[in-house]
Amino acid sequence: MLIFLFIFIFFNLRNFLKLNRKQKDFNSKKITTFNKKNLNNWMNLTKKERYNLTKQDSLNYMDKRKLLLDEIRNEYKKISRKNSEGNIKKK
């Protein structure tokens, strides 16, 4: 009986800690984009939070640029293959 009581307490404690972690995540992700209307919210963030947000934005921007560059390279390869095949057939 005592063992079941300890197991029950353990699971409840674990669930409680998971809930606290989720709440912290919600608080940190409250505002994801900033503009002129919510400039005060941006200024109310700590220096570290602002740094992390700008770092995250720059990483997202870099990833988008990499994807776009890959798409451009693939299209260029397709176009150059078609042109080279056309030149070979003409000869």
Side-chain angles (χ1 to χ4, degrees):
M1 184 72 173
L2 203 60
I3 294 172
F4 292 119
L5 182 66
F6 283 123
I7 292 173
F8 181 74
I9 291 172
F10 174 73
F11 282 120
N12 285 335
L13 183 64
R14 190 180 78 180
N15 290 337
F16 177 73
L17 293 175
K18 283 184 181 179
L19 181 65
N20 278 348
R21 275 190 248 145
K22 287 181 182 179
Q23 286 177 350
K24 288 179 183 178
D25 289 343
F26 285 132
N27 290 340
S28 65
K29 296 180 182 178
K30 210 177 233 183
I31 300 172
T32 55
T33 58
F34 293 97
N35 54 24
K36 289 182 183 178
K37 291 180 182 177
N38 57 7
L39 179 64
N40 288 334
N41 293 336
W42 169 260
M43 296 307 290
N44 288 336
L45 295 176
T46 63
K47 186 177 182 180
K48 189 172 187 174
E49 289 173 334
R50 283 184 289 202
Y51 172 75
N52 289 335
L53 281 173
T54 54
K55 185 176 177 182
Q56 183 181 14
D57 287 344
S58 66
L59 289 175
N60 289 338
Y61 179 71
M62 186 175 59
D63 289 340
K64 288 179 185 177
R65 286 186 62 187
K66 284 182 182 179
L67 290 174
L68 182 61
L69 186 61
D70 287 339
E71 289 177 13
I72 292 170
R73 285 180 178 158
N74 289 335
E75 286 184 32
Y76 181 75
K77 285 179 185 177
K78 289 178 185 177
I79 291 170
S80 62
R81 285 181 192 156
K82 287 180 183 177
N83 289 341
S84 64
E85 288 174 1
N87 290 338
I88 293 172
K89 288 180 183 177
K90 288 181 182 178
K91 291 180 181 181

